[in-house]
Amino acid sequence: MRRSRWRSGAIVGLTAAVVAGYAAITTTGASAAEALLSQGRPATASSTEAAGAYLASEAVDGNTGTRWSSTFADPQWLQVDLGSSKAITRVELNWETAAGKAFQIQVSENASTWTSIYSTTTSTGGNQNLTVNGTGRYVRMYGTQRTTTYGYSLWEFKVYGDDGGTTVPGGGSLGAQVTVFDPTMSSATIQAQADAIFKQQETNQFGTQRNLLAFKPGTYNGLNIQVGFNTSVIGLGQNPQDVRINGDITVDAGWFQGNATQNFWRSVENISLYPVSGADRWAVSQAAPFRRMDVHGDLNLAPNGYGWASGGYIADSRISGSEQQYSQQQWFTRNSQIGSSLNAVWNQAFVGVQGAPANSFPNPPYTTIGQTPVIREKPYLYLSGGDYAVFVPNLQTNSAGVSWANGNTPGTSIPLSQFYVAKPGDSAATINQALAQGLNLIFQPGVYHVNQTINVTRANTVVMGLGYATIIPDGGVTPMQVADVDGVKIAGLLFDAGTTNSANLLVVGPTGSSANHAANPTTIQDVFFRIGGSIAGKATNSLLVNSNNTIIDHIWAWRADHGNAGTYGWTVNTADSGLIVNGQNVTAYGLFVEHYQKYEVIWNGNGGRTYFLQNEQPYDPPTQAAWRSGANGYAAYKVADSVTSHEAWALGSYCYFNVNPSIHSDRGFEVPVNSGVKLHNLLTVSLGGNGVIDHVVNTTGGPAQGTDTVPSYLVNFP
């Protein structure tokens, strides 16, 4: 987000290289009588076709878009180390065209003396599923004759067997970083614990500490819970009214001299709040959701002194008084009820909000849409009969107002025993075993390094992070991918790119996904992506959506413009795009995508809808040619030329080219010109005159330029 200095309150396909990041994983049944043993294990080979490419490890990575390939000679072998001796029951080989005609499957305890457990001289390649019987720590394919003049090439080499009969247990502790408050505790004790956590987290923007503060049902008096970085505050009731705080839950910007534009990565959820002064202060910017809140009074979204602010997101909340935007340059509110709205700066949007102001864009710049076409509210942790459970709200269509207005939110409760509770230090292999057993997944607050992809393959799986649980891929893997199945819910996670480039950070559906999920779509909610800032991360793309009907409900995809020393810069934290949508009929609410180096959002699927985008183009192109040769930069939001149906509302793109203020961007938005592609309520802004956006859409509108920081507006296109 921008760090430029002016007071905003006073200024009332394209994707072939990155879509290969998905591959399905074949899993076996629940209790691991037969388990996948080879994925992610150390692998070696007799040779590789090219130096540094087609590595042995790529045949055991669970990704059918990568492969091992040998030199063009016989014999050749590929082997995997299972770590200890295992009973082997089955081997799957997924051959590329260059396959083995004559080969053996062999086992060994020492990788020197081998025993054959399968042999053929008549293989024609393809996908082979071989039932075998043997025991060994090492398993290899030993090829003696090829089907082609090329080498041996395997997309995947999977070894199954007995893992010792162990299963991953469900349930368990939520971890030491979850602080639970009870209404029998004294206010002084609660306040002291909350203050201690805030003291650690007030300025700890890029640290590894993660926290969840959870309030059991009941009434709490005289509290002011200040919320710092990487901290979530939740009520553990079925509904917001079950946890009543007579006091405040506060975000302010004293740590940053009254500037709230870096108040990221914090959240509050499921609490009834009675502010002491009649107004609660929630002065945030990106990745700071305000969900399922019942505020008895006003909600002030600006920092003390009405300094700069650049959030934010509200959903499923009731504010009896005024939603006070003040200096918030943009804001998105969905499925809520408010008494009124105060002030508008550049781009304030309301979808399905009772009490919202009338649509009046651009003067004032309110975009108001009466109903939300399709949504499922975010799953949430709560106490059910004294035990932890997760409540999953039902899908709604054409809705407005809060989901809990008439009693309990309609939906389904899932006991904690049906979740694997992951803890920092758990391997991706353990997490995948839990998912293969049929468990859902909760991440304790903390940082998780994964050296293989977490594969979500079962329909209706719930994957939740607590307290900004953060997943970092090692070795360039895609950290998480979802199969083309119904009803998966991914919520509350931060993906932080690793130092080796990943193709994608989260993939929903394999390439070519075609199933219709309209009745039970996958949802991506409060999921955030960071490229650089904490570490010198790299990822070609952040979120790739291939599944049809997916609902994206609040993401922030951020290529860092600031952070720890050495973690950001034009050639340091490289990233092409923040979001690529290939699926049909995908709906997005509250997109925040910033600073990527090519098209920041690419929409290739038909039937797409976006309600609100906040974008800043990259700050740091050193020269016009370094950004893009032959054109002035990339649009923030690109609808592919092949798309014939797409509609979007309340899109804003800003430029702040602080490395080279002479940079121009041709346009904020780029779309095909046809009757089925419609954009409404658009703006571009040059922040403090640092660069120029020449047009709003294609060659229409603009330019956005000049030190006065006045938006260039466009109500409809075409």
Side-chain angles (χ1 to χ4, degrees):
M1 207 43 233
R2 102 207 95 319
R3 315 294 157 238
S4 54
R5 296 189 172 273
W6 71 93
R7 185 174 302 277
S8 55
I11 315 169
V12 230
L14 283 164
T15 61
V18 292
V19 298
Y22 181 92
I25 174 175
T26 302
T27 57
T28 58
S31 63
E34 182 186 61
L36 177 59
L37 306 174
S38 55
Q39 187 161 304
R41 299 299 306 173
T44 54
S46 53
S47 67
T48 57
E49 180 180 340
Y54 308 113
L55 304 176
S57 60
E58 294 179 311
V60 294
D61 62 359
N63 186 344
T64 53
T66 61
R67 62 186 172 96
W68 163 72
S69 184
S70 75
T71 55
F72 306 165
D74 296 310
Q76 301 288 341
W77 52 264
L78 170 75
Q79 75 182 41
V80 60
D81 178 1
L82 303 179
S84 61
S85 186
K86 305 286 186 182
I88 311 305
T89 58
R90 187 161 58 92
V91 173
E92 289 184 12
L93 301 102
N94 182 356
W95 293 101
E96 198 249 353
T97 303
K101 179 179 181 181
F103 65 89
Q104 299 177 44
I105 302 299
Q106 301 175 331
V107 294
S108 174
E109 297 294 346
N110 54 20
S112 60
T113 302
W114 295 91
T115 300
S116 178
I117 58 174
Y118 175 85
S119 180
T120 182
T121 59
T122 58
S123 170
T124 57
N127 294 319
Q128 296 179 289
N129 191 346
L130 309 176
T131 300
V132 297
N133 183 16
T135 301
R137 172 175 172 173
Y138 301 90
V139 182
R140 77 175 180 178
M141 184 287 299
Y142 184 79
T144 54
Q145 185 178 358
R146 293 159 285 144
T147 59
T148 71
T149 58
Y150 300 101
Y152 296 81
S153 184
L154 281 164
W155 294 108
E156 284 294 300
F157 179 57
K158 295 183 178 181
V159 178
Y160 293 87
D162 186 354
D163 67 351
T166 60
T167 58
V168 175
S173 169
L174 297 179
Q177 299 309 115
V178 176
T179 303
V180 180
F181 300 119
D182 187 284
T184 63
M185 298 170 64
S186 72
S187 296
T189 298
I190 296 172
Q191 190 69 57
Q193 292 187 41
D195 286 349
I197 291 170
F198 177 68
K199 184 177 180 180
Q200 292 175 325
Q201 297 299 85
E202 182 180 10
T203 63
N204 193 18
Q205 185 169 177
F206 297 107
T208 58
Q209 173 116 345
R210 303 289 185 269
N211 291 282
L212 175 69
L213 281 63
F215 288 83
K216 289 184 177 181
T219 299
Y220 301 81
N221 294 308
L223 298 177
N224 182 15
I225 306 300
Q226 298 187 78
V227 188
F229 283 105
N230 301 307
T231 301
S232 296
V233 180
I234 67 170
L236 290 170
Q238 170 80 54
N239 296 304
Q241 301 94 325
D242 296 336
V243 174
R244 172 171 174 160
I245 293 180
N246 295 316
D248 295 272
I249 298 176
T250 301
V251 177
D252 206 345
W255 75 278
F256 201 47
Q257 296 78 52
N259 179 348
T261 60
Q262 290 186 30
N263 281 351
F264 310 142
W265 303 305
R266 63 197 78 200
S267 66
V268 65
E269 184 173 8
N270 205 30
I271 291 171
S272 185
L273 194 63
Y274 291 74
V276 170
S277 67
D280 191 59
R281 186 182 303 279
W282 186 255
V284 298
S285 287
Q286 286 70 40
F290 191 93
R291 285 188 185 264
R292 288 183 65 81
M293 293 295 291
D294 189 11
V295 179
H296 294 259
D298 298 331
L299 184 65
N300 184 341
L301 301 174
N304 187 30
Y306 305 98
W308 311 303
S310 186
Y313 177 92
I314 293 173
D316 204 18
S317 294
R318 182 169 61 192
I319 301 163
S320 67
S322 177
E323 181 181 313
Q324 299 173 341
Q325 307 274 342
Y326 289 125
S327 55
Q328 285 287 353
Q329 291 155 344
Q330 62 276 316
W331 196 276
F332 179 73
T333 305
R334 179 187 60 70
N335 282 83
S336 294
Q337 179 181 335
I338 63 176
S340 62
S341 177
L342 178 63
N343 204 46
V345 179
W346 292 336
N347 188 21
Q348 274 65 25
F350 303 85
V351 177
V353 177
Q354 296 170 345
N359 185 74
S360 56
F361 190 93
N363 187 25
Y366 289 133
T367 298
T368 300
I369 297 168
Q371 292 185 319
T372 302
V374 58
I375 193 65
R376 179 194 294 117
E377 296 297 346
K378 178 187 169 188
Y380 58 93
L381 184 74
Y382 79 115
L383 283 169
S384 175
D387 296 321
Y388 288 114
V390 170
F391 195 83
V392 180
N394 287 346
L395 191 72
Q396 303 177 78
T397 56
N398 300 320
S399 59
V402 299
S403 66
W404 39 273
N406 299 313
N408 293 345
T409 297
T412 303
S413 181
I414 305 174
L416 192 67
S417 61
Q418 294 183 23
F419 285 80
Y420 176 66
V421 182
K423 58 187 180 300
D426 278 355
S427 68
T430 298
I431 293 169
N432 277 328
Q433 182 181 348
L435 290 168
Q437 289 173 206
L439 292 172
N440 300 291
L441 182 59
I442 285 177
F443 290 88
Q444 294 179 359
V447 178
Y448 297 77
H449 282 264
V450 297
N451 62 1
Q452 61 179 268
T453 301
I454 296 170
N455 291 282
V456 183
T457 61
R458 179 178 59 86
N460 300 311
T461 301
V462 178
V463 179
M464 286 180 58
L466 302 179
Y468 286 83
T470 302
I471 301 175
I472 301 176
D474 295 331
V477 302
T478 292
M480 185 177 290
Q481 56 194 25
V482 179
D484 191 30
V485 295
D486 274 355
V488 173
K489 296 92 182 171
I490 310 291
L493 288 172
L494 171 59
F495 291 92
D496 204 353
T499 55
T500 301
N501 188 74
S502 294
N504 299 281
L505 296 179
L506 173 62
V507 180
V508 180
T511 301
S513 292
S514 58
N516 185 323
H517 304 292
N520 188 11
T522 285
T523 48
I524 309 298
Q525 297 177 290
D526 297 346
V527 174
F528 310 122
F529 305 90
R530 184 166 65 194
I531 315 292
S534 61
I535 55 179
K538 299 175 177 65
T540 305
N541 177 60
S542 290
L543 173 59
L544 172 63
V545 177
N546 292 316
S547 286
N548 298 330
N549 312 104
T550 299
I551 298 172
I552 304 169
D553 179 35
H554 190 216
I555 65 167
W556 185 35
W558 183 62
R559 176 180 166 265
D561 63 277
H562 68 279
N564 294 329
T567 64
Y568 63 98
W570 188 251
T571 60
V572 177
N573 59 328
T574 53
D576 286 357
S577 300
L579 169 65
I580 298 174
V581 177
N582 295 324
Q584 309 296 308
N585 303 313
V586 171
T587 303
Y589 305 98
L591 295 183
F592 298 78
V593 183
E594 300 189 288
H595 307 158
Y596 288 80
Q597 294 172 297
K598 294 186 179 178
Y599 290 119
E600 308 209 28
V601 175
I602 302 173
W603 210 291
N604 296 313
N606 274 310
R609 294 173 293 189
T610 293
Y611 299 87
F612 184 87
L613 166 74
Q614 187 267 319
N615 164 264
E616 284 184 346
Q617 299 190 12
Y619 283 9
D620 52 344
T623 64
Q624 202 76 58
W627 190 12
R628 187 178 188 183
S629 178
N632 287 336
Y634 293 86
Y637 190 93
K638 166 67 174 177
V639 178
D641 294 346
S642 59
V643 170
T644 57
S645 59
H646 185 90
E647 195 159 10
W649 296 259
L651 310 182
S653 179
Y654 317 152
C655 73
Y656 181 61
F657 301 126
N658 63 344
V659 170
N660 183 350
S662 69
I663 296 288
H664 279 242
S665 173
D666 279 338
R667 57 191 60 89
F669 312 99
E670 184 175 315
V671 301
V673 181
N674 64 62
S675 60
V677 176
K678 302 173 184 178
L679 305 183
H680 314 282
N681 297 5
L682 315 168
L683 69 147
T684 55
V685 183
S686 174
L687 305 180
N690 287 276
V692 178
I693 301 176
D694 292 321
H695 302 284
V696 179
V697 182
N698 297 351
T699 57
T700 300
Q705 62 186 354
T707 58
D708 288 340
T709 315
V710 176
S712 180
Y713 287 117
L714 187 65
V715 175
N716 288 299
F717 184 88

